Amino acid sequence: MASQFVRYTPDVEDDDPHFEQNLRSVIEKTESYITESVKDGGTGQALRDAHAKGYGLVRGQVEILDGLPSEYAQGIYATPGTHDALIRFSNGSPHAGADARLGAATGLALKMFDIPGPTLLEDEPDTGTFDYALINGPVFFCNTVEHYLFIQELFLNTAAYFSQGRAGVHRFYADFVTGKGTLDQDDWAWDEFLAYLDLCKTPPINVLLSGYWTMGAVRHGDHIAKVRIAPHPDSAAAVVRRTLDPASAPEVYRPALEAELQERPYTFHIQVQLCTDLERMPVEDTTVEWPEQLSPFVTVATLRLPQQDISGPENLEKMDALSFTPWRATAEHAPLGNIMRARKEVYRRSSIARHNLNQQPRTEPRSADEVLGSAR
């Protein structure tokens, strides 16, 4: 069976001669937005430039399964065992405010503790933590840093576009496809735009009912993969507050999450989809959903959320002080592709800027108890 899976080699990634130049521009815009968000963001605090609004910080536990096939028992998943974890549920927008203004893109950021081996972050190699930063869609609407340069600007200014009604919406769409007039017609961002429209169709549901994907590819030891965190069917069936109406109240996602976790525990599956065909399961094109008929998702670990109380402002304050990045991972799980490579320095510089402006110490915790206190 293992012979059908594509082996990882460095040449699965494309070389972009303009990568560093474009990356510097993205970082400058990101740091500028974060600085301006203190005054303009509506909270008095510096905001993240994506997933700005958090819905709750949740205690969890990851059990890496025993007896996995060798091609899945790779990297951290080669050693069965249990790891404490923290989970941040969030909205995908770079803005804060009422839920109805932010859309239905939601994120799940997972931090696992006591993971052996150095991380890929040179300034914090020995934290013992391992992060995933996932979103509730299998594709992403940006493939390269060049595209991200104009897409970032569009999303940071969505309110200005959409406040102008139909004409503003049309301008947003036109600027998206044409790169605000910077792209040759043959290079217009149609694939990215269609991926964006697909994500816009996401219905507003309880965050416990969504699946969450890496979107981009990652190494999985000897192989190439995408990772998904999906609700356990039994847990999903038990959720009471299912579909949500963001227009019914300023806050709908956090209260629903709070209430569910106060009433019952919850379980997700951590799943890996291995690449079998680089043409149909590309590394550099994040707008393409990898077909499950070519390679199904296989459960490699269980993520359990115990019954708990996440209400209260202190939960949000502790959540805000944390940082998550897909590059806080071991080399066997390195993110792959142009846009995933860009996230390394963008996330790091974003985190540094935000913590400095908010006068928060930027230290990586060593346990969930260090953040939330001892579990009862």
Side-chain angles (χ1 to χ4, degrees), residues 17-182:
H18 305 294
F19 179 83
E20 294 297 334
Q21 176 184 345
N22 289 330
L23 179 61
R24 285 194 295 272
S25 297
V26 169
I27 291 171
E28 289 172 6
K29 287 185 180 180
T30 298
E31 291 178 332
S32 175
Y33 173 77
I34 292 170
T35 300
E36 293 169 0
S37 72
V38 176
K39 177 171 64 74
D40 300 337
T43 68
Q45 294 284 99
L47 300 176
R48 289 170 165 87
D49 66 303
H51 297 270
K53 182 175 183 176
Y55 294 135
L57 182 64
V58 179
R59 184 189 298 273
Q61 193 174 68
V62 173
E63 180 188 358
I64 296 172
L65 302 182
D66 197 1
L68 294 172
S70 60
E71 57 268 27
Y72 293 93
Q74 301 273 324
I76 69 170
Y77 299 105
T79 306
T82 302
H83 301 269
D84 285 341
L86 291 171
I87 301 93
R88 179 183 189 258
F89 290 100
S90 64
N91 185 274
S93 170
H95 305 289
D99 288 343
R101 295 179 55 241
L102 303 180
T106 55
L108 184 157
L110 170 65
K111 187 181 297 294
M112 291 181 270
F113 294 96
D114 297 320
I115 300 294
T119 77
L120 292 167
L121 297 176
E122 291 80 4
D123 58 340
E124 49 169 84
D126 302 317
T127 59
T129 47
F130 186 109
D131 290 357
Y132 282 120
L134 314 177
I135 197 166
N136 62 334
V139 297
F140 191 46
F141 46 80
C142 185
N143 278 320
T144 66
V145 183
E146 180 185 12
H147 283 135
Y148 194 77
L149 274 171
F150 66 82
I151 291 175
Q152 177 189 41
E153 186 173 343
L154 291 176
F155 278 82
L156 295 180
N157 293 287
T158 49
Y161 278 99
F162 287 88
S163 66
Q164 299 169 26
R166 188 182 183 91
V169 172
H170 288 171
R171 276 193 292 274
F172 178 87
Y173 290 168
D175 285 350
F176 195 123
V177 171
T178 67
K180 300 191 74 174
T182 64

Side-chain angles (χ1 to χ4, degrees), residues 181-193:
T182 64
L183 300 176
D184 292 336
Q185 188 168 350
D186 289 344
D187 297 325
W188 282 1
W190 286 112
D191 290 337
E192 289 84 351
F193 181 64

